[in-house]
Amino acid sequence: MARPVGSVTRGTTGVNRLRRADRWLSAVHGRLLRAADRPLVVDLGYGASHSTTLELFTRLRAVAGDVEMVGIEIDPARVALARPYEREGLSFVLGGFELPVPRPPTVVRAFNVLRQYGEAEAWGYWDLLRGKLAPGGVLVEGTCSETGHRAVWVCLDSAGPRTLTFSARFNAFDRPSELADRLPKTLIHRNVPGEPIHAFLRDFDRAWAVAAPYGAHGLRQRWLAAVETLADGWPLYRTAPLGGAGRWRLGELSLPWSAVAPTS
Ligand SMILES: C[S@@+](CC[C@H](N)C(=O)[O-])C[C@H]1O[C@@H](n2cnc3c(N)ncnc32)[C@H](O)[C@@H]1O
């Protein structure tokens, strides 16, 4: 077997820490998985424990009963640790960005993996991975805090990045711009004046401040009011599956990647 593409990095993970992204994937891309013939999902870089892969598998099986999942890790010791947890439909293999799987995946989830690479490498691996997707498939690439209370992810299809999603527990931040520390590698260095992502987070903070009185009814009401204000100036998704009150009330919001893409 050729050497896996990529490098072994820290294996930090945690039980249930990717639940926000799992919930989003089930709701937004459940239909894609149900429509696919023998849908394959890859969890790339699952880390020091199999747990987040098993959690995603269990959640996706609830919305698409024939999903098969492969957890891929570049560290052989982590593959050996996960193997005892294999079961029908779920396996763990050694590999990297080349994705050693039997057929093109409908979904690739890579969380807290690319942040450990350089920015130029992250763009390159986005291109590599989206080129391996099944027709209509998606790559969900993101980052979250240790506990998963703050998370940001990008969804890409074969043509490129499509959407950016922020998701946070309401008491996990004082100002929404604190989520900047979870931006994907391709955006985190662009959070500077003159870049769209910086303007977006600035406006989000302003909307949050204006919505302060709604805090009397709880932080969820404040979030909903802030998102409505923000939607006046930014093209937030306002209808299901990506937007609207049903998603916003979870502490989530999504907008087109094109609205926040780096200027150069
Ligand atoms: C911080 S852990 C993330 C674990 C889990 N995805 C999570 O978010 O909780 C990153 C893992 O990605 C693995 N990794 C890094 N580059 C990889 C690659 N190219 N292919 C497969 N795994 C990779 C590392 O070895 C490490 O175990």
Side-chain angles (χ1 to χ4, degrees), residues 5 7 9-10 13 17 45 47 73 78 96-97 111-112 116-117:
V5 179
S7 338
T9 55
R10 284 189 308 276
T13 187
R17 81 163 173 163
E73 240 304 326
R78 294 173 190 156
F97 295 122
F111 244 79
N112 300 299
Q116 301 183 51
Y117 289 82

Side-chain angles (χ1 to χ4, degrees), residues 149-226:
H149 293 173
R150 296 180 192 189
V152 182
W153 58 88
V154 179
C155 184
L156 303 92
D157 63 17
S158 61
R162 293 299 189 189
T163 60
L164 178 70
T165 298
F166 293 83
S167 181
R169 183 185 269 225
F170 296 118
N171 62 5
F173 60 90
D174 291 322
R175 286 176 298 127
S177 63
E178 291 167 24
L179 269 71
D181 64 2
R182 297 296 140 199
L183 286 172
K185 193 72 181 191
T186 49
L187 275 185
I188 194 158
H189 302 298
R190 309 308 185 105
N191 187 24
V192 293
E195 288 287 345
I197 187 63
H198 186 266
F200 175 77
L201 290 170
R202 178 202 61 205
D203 290 353
F204 202 173
D205 277 353
R206 284 183 186 154
W208 181 249
V210 168
Y214 288 86
H217 305 289
L219 291 173
R220 172 173 287 121
Q221 294 308 316
R222 183 175 177 181
W223 175 271
L224 288 169

Side-chain angles (χ1 to χ4, degrees), residues 16-100:
N16 228 8
R17 81 163 173 163
L18 303 185
R19 63 194 171 283
R20 288 181 166 271
D22 288 359
R23 179 176 62 187
W24 181 90
L25 249 172
S26 305
V28 175
H29 293 298
R31 183 186 294 190
L32 170 72
L33 290 166
R34 283 190 295 277
D37 183 29
R38 299 184 65 215
L40 179 66
V41 177
V42 165
D43 190 17
L44 182 64
Y46 56 82
S49 152
H50 68 287
S51 60
T52 53
T53 311
L54 177 57
E55 288 157 8
L56 180 61
F57 176 65
T58 306
R59 288 172 181 141
L60 291 182
R61 276 263 163 132
V63 297
D66 58 348
V67 158
E68 287 177 33
M69 183 164 314
V70 179
I72 299 179
E73 240 304 326
I74 200 164
D75 180 340
R78 294 173 190 156
V79 179
L81 273 177
R83 282 247 160 94
Y85 298 93
E86 288 187 338
R87 59 201 63 195
E88 181 277 315
L90 173 64
S91 56
F92 295 94
V93 302
L94 177 68
F97 295 122
E98 76 287 359
L99 303 188

